[in-house]
Amino acid sequence: MSTRLNLTLSIWRQADADSPGRFETYPAKDIPDDASFLEMLDIVNEGLIENGQEPIEFPHDCREGICGTCGVMINGRAHGQEKGTATCQLHMRKFNDGDTIVIEPWRAAAFPVIKDLVVDRSPLDRIIEAGGYIGAPTGTAPDANEILIPKEVADSSMDAAACIGCGACVAACPNSAAQLFTSAKLWHLNSLPQGQTERFRRSENMVETMEEFFGSCTNHGECTEACPKEISQDFIAYMNRDYVKSKVFNRRLAGQH
Amino acid sequence: MTDTSISQSSPLLDSKVPEGPIEDKWDNHRFKIKLVNPANKRKFRIIVVGTGLAGASAAATLAELGYNVDAFTYHDSPRRAHSISAQGGINAAKNYRNDGDSIYRLFYDTVKGGDYRSREANVYRLAQVSVDIIDQMTAQGVPFAREYGGLLDNRSFGGAQVSRTFYARGQTGQQLLLGAYQQMMRQVDAGKVNLHTDEEMLELVVKDGVAVGIVCRNVVTGEISKHSAHAVVLATGGYSNAFYLSTNAMACNTTAIWRAHRKGALFANPCFTQIHPTCIPASDEFQSKLTLMSESLRNDGRIWVPRNHDETRPAGQIPEAERFYYLEEKYPSFGNLVPRDVASRNAKTVVDQGLGVGPLKNGVYLDFADAIGRDGKDKIEERYGNLFQMYERITGEDPYRVPMRIYPATHYTMGGLWVDYNLMTTIPGCFSAGEANFSDHGANRLGASALMQGLADGYFVLPYTIGNYLAPLLGHDPVPTDDPAFVETEQDVKDRISRFLSIGGTRSPEYFHRELGKLVWEYIGMERNKAGLEKALTEIPALREEFWSDVRVLGNNESLNSSLEKVGRIADFFELGELMARDALDRTESCGGHFRIESQTPEGEALRDDENYSHVSAWEWKGPDTPQVKHAEELVFEEVELTQRSYK
């Protein structure tokens, strides 16, 4: 049997985007240290339901650290203190008996609270919609091995593509900037041979859509620190380079001026 | 019980398999089916429910063709769909390894792997289009693993003796889903896909026997909405969460396909569920889900248990002679790469014999010491780094130093809505794609074939076959949403929600889900028998009655309320669980993932009864208090000879 922990939780409760929120304190008793952080919340919620209190809403789904649904601020840090770990993969053995844990939703103007710990992250989809794809309609593809991609390039592209779209980078950023999210998608596609034809159009559209919703990057680096996939901040530099170039190389503009 | 000696297919189940030699069927069919001309496609509206691999790829492709598509997901973003969790890879008959692979071999392996309970023509088509999927996904920018020369890399997977699996580290599902999602978002940007996030389909609307739309609940606002279209595609995944503990995401459910079943869609082979051999064993009652470790690990990991029942030494101190490499001993030619059902059942056998490892003695070792010694830690880290990391997070143990502990868990459901060759259910206008339908995998799915099937259905099959249904509807508008069929269905949905909120019992929805899961796992799990299944048929309805009188759902309909979402899904799992038991009881043979203790070879392998059960069992809803009636689609094997599967 695993060790049991007794904890005090201070959790943000908020009925909806328009209502004021507040911290409520809940005891979390007899929590097995093999439980995940979200299983700890499950146990607390079952107790609340038994007492006729509304359970705490929190975002979660796959619980394998890949779907990107989960994510809360744990003691002021996005996804908690363990590096490279989504909230669902954080386990209670990382906490000590008697700890007080403060749990809040992602904090960013672009992510309004829906209820309790759940926020609206739809602006991230708007960025993808603006150009986070390669225009390759079904049926048009050449044989896969006709496109040679050096292993180093594929690996680097994959490093960026590993982003799970959880929004921790935005929540951790003092400016609520989405540069890490946007640059990860841009580098995934811009670094590949298949992504070249739309490279500058994509860069321009995605960056400008991002700026409609989010703050600006001032290179604090909190994003990479909080990222459960440890996506490198270097991609932001590549994005900035491509964005500047897009203003010169964008073929549509070049043809018109 | 229904008569099980059916030798003719039910007239309800016309598979519409085209004539001709197997390699020409799909080509012939594509030539013969009706087309909708490009200018007319914009006059049609299609609803796609679910945005995983099958749904997103279908929505994107249908929109590219010119149709107007409404895509629905209950997630906050289409990218959250559970396809994202697939790790190991995707099969394709490219023969890039020059190791003797071919479309025919992939077809053969899949039919054999499914223990001869799938439709040959469907599987052959799947193998044919598999090669196009890799081309398509590469063109879209999926960063598949490459060799130094820049060509695509492959790995091998269970149930095959060739290397035909393409992969993107241990995140192949994620990368393929993001590819399909991005293609769909491109169409959202183009205005051809109308994306509805946070919308959960709660009913299919059927008018005069034809699917005409859906009713949804917005999970954030509680608003109930009606949506009308010329055709509805259900691509809503599988029902492993009937077991409560499974590797599925928490929200995965059967509701969309179950509501369609209640409206007349036959449900095929519900008892064909797959138990994945390599998951992390449960550690306690609080556990909310099980985590899968990719089957690809079996390429390099060796599976063993101690030979001694009372073994207490750590794995590393147990000498080679006292280790029981049970798969390698029993199946010398496939070894650790036997198909999933065989690997799972053997793990259960050794654990039941008391040879299990770990604190609860509920696992077996998956050991990488030899592979690390042979290839070096760096190489192993490159192949499986993220999996090893995930394992360490969950268990607190470092698999580079001590063997992983694994045990089987429910992972995939081969059963689902019955569909014909065109992927249409028995309700005209209602199609089903991906894991939600029953096609292609028979009684057992081979590794790296789920991603292949989801994308095959969405990219390369449905976009053609749906046109055949739509063409005669040219000039007909979708049924308006103020039609009585919509209004009545909407009222049903509202009544059901009110009912849940007013039960006011004492126990949480989670409690009932967990208790149901225990029954399903106990009686309809890795091994089934008559007595147990009969018990399930009394215990599940009894628990269901308790559920309907004692469940407690707090909060209201008008805001985010995950208890309310969950309770409706659990209510449907109760009905499905009962049907799974009924189907498993009816099928007295063993095949693939369906293992009836009464039907095994002297060596303990699944023993089929081809004479009486070489058919698809498709169940027709007869009302809430009447057992479903079974219809059979006879399976005809012209290409593959039925043999006792052997992986020795």
Side-chain angles (χ1 to χ4, degrees), chain B residues 70-87:
Chain B
D70 282 278
F72 294 81
T73 172
Y74 57 64
H75 289 106
D76 66 335
S77 165
R79 66 182 293 157
R80 313 280 184 223
H82 190 57
S83 307
I84 206 154
S85 296
Q87 298 165 355

Side-chain angles (χ1 to χ4, degrees), chain B residues 74 198-202 215-217 219 253 255 565 569:
Chain B
Y74 57 64
D198 296 314
E199 289 283 347
E200 179 165 20
M201 169 188 156
L202 293 181
V215 173
C216 296
R217 175 177 180 271
V219 298
N253 68 81
T255 290
E565 290 167 41
R569 297 167 188 163

Side-chain angles (χ1 to χ4, degrees), chain B residues 381-489:
Chain B
E381 187 170 359
E382 191 185 308
R383 283 183 204 144
Y384 313 113
N386 67 318
L387 299 172
F388 276 46
Q389 190 187 39
M390 185 158 78
Y391 183 87
E392 195 271 331
R393 296 253 189 286
I394 292 170
T395 62
E397 293 173 358
D398 175 6
Y400 292 105
R401 294 175 39 215
V402 297
M404 286 184 179
R405 287 177 293 114
I406 55 163
Y407 196 64
T410 314
H411 159 67
Y412 186 89
T413 52
M414 284 72 71
L417 292 182
W418 184 91
V419 289
D420 63 17
Y421 191 71
N422 294 320
L423 303 184
M424 191 158 83
T425 69
T426 50
I427 304 176
C430 178
F431 292 76
S432 184
E435 191 180 351
N437 73 30
F438 90 105
S439 72
D440 301 359
H441 304 299
N444 176 54
R445 179 176 65 73
L446 291 180
S449 285
L451 302 179
M452 174 172 69
Q453 186 223 334
L455 291 172
D457 287 359
Y459 275 130
F460 295 108
V461 179
L462 196 69
Y464 294 104
T465 59
I466 208 166
N468 186 53
Y469 172 77
L470 294 173
L473 299 179
L474 187 64
H476 295 269
D477 286 332
V479 173
T481 55
D482 56 5
D483 185 276
F486 274 97
V487 175
E488 282 161 26
T489 309

Side-chain angles (χ1 to χ4, degrees), chain B residues 313-430:
Chain B
R313 288 171 290 182
Q317 290 173 23
I318 301 175
E320 203 62 21
E322 293 175 41
R323 298 177 176 194
F324 182 19
Y325 294 93
Y326 56 91
L327 291 177
E328 295 175 23
E329 282 185 27
K330 241 174 123 176
Y331 308 97
S333 68
F334 279 72
N336 293 301
L337 286 173
V338 292
R340 292 175 171 176
D341 53 334
V342 179
S344 294
R345 226 168 27 246
N346 277 280
K348 178 175 162 60
T349 306
V350 293
V351 168
D352 287 352
Q353 286 166 357
L355 297 173
V357 300
L360 302 176
K361 286 180 83 75
N362 62 349
V364 300
Y365 286 130
L366 179 63
D367 196 340
F368 292 88
D370 286 356
I372 290 170
R374 182 185 65 228
D375 297 339
K377 189 186 165 200
D378 289 353
K379 200 84 193 158
I380 295 301
E381 187 170 359
E382 191 185 308
R383 283 183 204 144
Y384 313 113
N386 67 318
L387 299 172
F388 276 46
Q389 190 187 39
M390 185 158 78
Y391 183 87
E392 195 271 331
R393 296 253 189 286
I394 292 170
T395 62
E397 293 173 358
D398 175 6
Y400 292 105
R401 294 175 39 215
V402 297
M404 286 184 179
R405 287 177 293 114
I406 55 163
Y407 196 64
T410 314
H411 159 67
Y412 186 89
T413 52
M414 284 72 71
L417 292 182
W418 184 91
V419 289
D420 63 17
Y421 191 71
N422 294 320
L423 303 184
M424 191 158 83
T425 69
T426 50
I427 304 176
C430 178

Side-chain angles (χ1 to χ4, degrees), chain A residues 46 57 93 125 143 185 194, chain B residues 96 138 181-182 514 562:
Chain A
E46 280 219 56
E57 294 290 348
R93 66 180 76 91
D125 279 339
D143 186 273
K185 185 48 62 190
Q194 306 94 301
Chain B
Y96 282 165
T138 301
Y181 152 77
Q182 287 162 199
R514 199 182 295 127
S562 46

Side-chain angles (χ1 to χ4, degrees), chain B residues 557-576:
Chain B
N557 174 56
E558 285 71 34
S559 68
L560 184 70
N561 185 344
S562 46
S563 302
L564 182 59
E565 290 167 41
K566 200 165 173 50
V567 77
R569 297 167 188 163
I570 297 166
D572 292 334
F573 278 134
F574 267 108
E575 293 178 357
L576 170 68

Side-chain angles (χ1 to χ4, degrees), chain A residues 162-175:
Chain A
C163 168
I164 59 174
C166 64
C169 47
V170 175
C173 176
N175 307 325

Side-chain angles (χ1 to χ4, degrees), chain A residues 150-170:
Chain A
K151 185 176 185 310
E152 296 80 359
V153 172
D155 284 349
S156 170
S157 171
M158 182 63 215
D159 288 343
C163 168
I164 59 174
C166 64
C169 47
V170 175

